[in-house]
Amino acid sequence: AQKVTQAQTEISVVEKEDVTLDCVYETRDTTYYLFWYKQPPSGELVFLIRRNSFDEQNEISGRYSWNFQKSTSSFNFTITASQVVDSAVYFCALSENNAGNMLTFGGGTRLMVKP
Amino acid sequence: KAGVTQTPRYLIKTRGQQVTLSCSPISGHRSVSWYQQTPGQGLQFLFEYFSETQRNKGNFPGRFSGRQFSNSRSEMNVSTLELGDSALYLCASSFTGATRNEQFFGPGTRLTVL
């Protein structure tokens, strides 16, 4: 069965610091998809990125970057020069190829960025 | 384009009652999934509907049910409410049922069971 682990339940940083959120996953499928979502206090989950299991290229989008390593089953997320607006709960999720749109979420990491 | 809408946003019920939550997906989206979010269990998949058919179901008791209408709008129903059903219920829509598609989440319905 699939599983996603986010070992860091809460991280606190000061504005402009870099921060990395860890995500480790388990699946027996060879084809799967990994996601990161942001949940601000309003509650709505905001999609950040999707990566399929055959694409191990790192991705950068502005201050956000993602490091996918199949060898260690990890899909880590780094925010560079954090800002107060980055404060939220971040979820890593996994979807196996034949599971339709069913997402298995990690427990989430609450990021607090202090001014 | 309007996003995913969920009604009502807040709901208070008492144990033993039943409740119906509604989700309107983004126009053109045919897949709707439901998730329950609680502080103890986190985000858990309830079920997914695609073209009015339930495609996947999570590990929840039969008191949790859902359906999808021909216009892709979906409802979920919880019967015989228990205190542990208090949660944020999130709905997500996707253009198709393919795993690779991005899912867009609604703001959620916060259900409190007293």
Side-chain angles (χ1 to χ4, degrees):
Chain A
Q2 65 271 32
K3 184 180 177 182
V4 177
T5 302
Q6 294 179 255
Q8 307 147 307
T9 55
E10 201 167 289
I11 300 176
S12 181
V13 299
V14 176
E15 209 171 17
K16 295 184 185 175
E17 281 186 23
D18 298 348
V19 58
T20 295
L21 311 182
D22 298 332
C23 172
V24 173
Y25 63 91
E26 295 175 30
T27 178
R28 280 180 276 190
D29 266 15
T30 54
T31 303
Y32 52 88
Y33 297 81
L34 295 164
F35 303 79
W36 275 94
Y37 282 87
K38 174 182 179 180
Q39 188 176 41
S42 61
E44 190 167 334
L45 284 168
V46 177
F47 169 84
L48 295 177
I49 190 172
R50 173 187 58 244
R51 175 67 74 224
N52 75 54
S53 53
F54 297 107
D55 183 2
E56 285 193 74
Q57 276 192 328
N58 291 332
E59 179 153 341
I60 298 174
S61 176
R63 297 183 298 106
Y64 295 171
S65 63
W66 290 269
N67 180 263
F68 175 31
Q69 291 195 336
K70 284 178 76 170
S71 60
T72 56
S73 297
S74 64
F75 186 43
N76 297 336
F77 172 33
T78 298
I79 302 175
T80 303
S82 60
Q83 299 176 1
V84 173
V85 293
D86 295 327
S87 297
V89 181
Y90 291 85
F91 291 95
C92 180
L94 165 74
S95 185
E96 294 177 332
N97 190 45
N98 296 317
N101 280 316
M102 184 177 78
L103 292 170
T104 298
F105 285 90
T109 298
R110 180 177 299 278
L111 174 65
M112 291 178 292
V113 182
K114 299 175 182 176
Chain B
K1 210 176 203 182
V4 178
T5 57
Q6 292 187 244
T7 55
R9 291 293 311 279
Y10 302 91
L11 207 47
I12 300 175
K13 292 285 187 179
T14 55
R15 277 183 300 174
Q17 287 187 308
Q18 76 162 18
V19 66
T20 299
L21 311 182
S22 180
C23 172
S24 292
I26 291 172
S27 177
H29 284 194
R30 294 163 60 195
S31 169
V32 173
S33 299
W34 289 89
Y35 293 83
Q36 181 197 64
Q37 185 175 23
T38 60
Q41 299 300 317
L43 274 158
Q44 292 185 290
F45 173 79
L46 278 156
F47 28 64
E48 178 197 358
Y49 286 88
F50 179 73
S51 294
E52 302 178 65
T53 301
Q54 187 180 88
R55 294 209 318 166
N56 278 304
K57 190 177 192 306
N59 190 23
F60 279 83
R63 300 185 297 107
F64 291 82
S65 63
R67 59 178 176 168
Q68 187 179 35
F69 301 96
S70 58
N71 62 356
S72 294
R73 189 178 70 86
S74 177
E75 289 181 346
M76 67 162 281
N77 184 276
V78 188
S79 62
T80 319
L81 284 166
E82 299 177 359
L83 294 178
D85 297 333
S86 294
L88 179 66
Y89 289 88
L90 291 163
C91 161
S93 81
S94 178
F95 182 61
T96 72
T99 308
R100 61 183 174 274
N101 288 314
E102 177 184 343
Q103 292 189 63
F104 296 84
F105 281 80
T109 293
R110 186 163 295 282
L111 171 64
T112 301
V113 181
L114 302 176

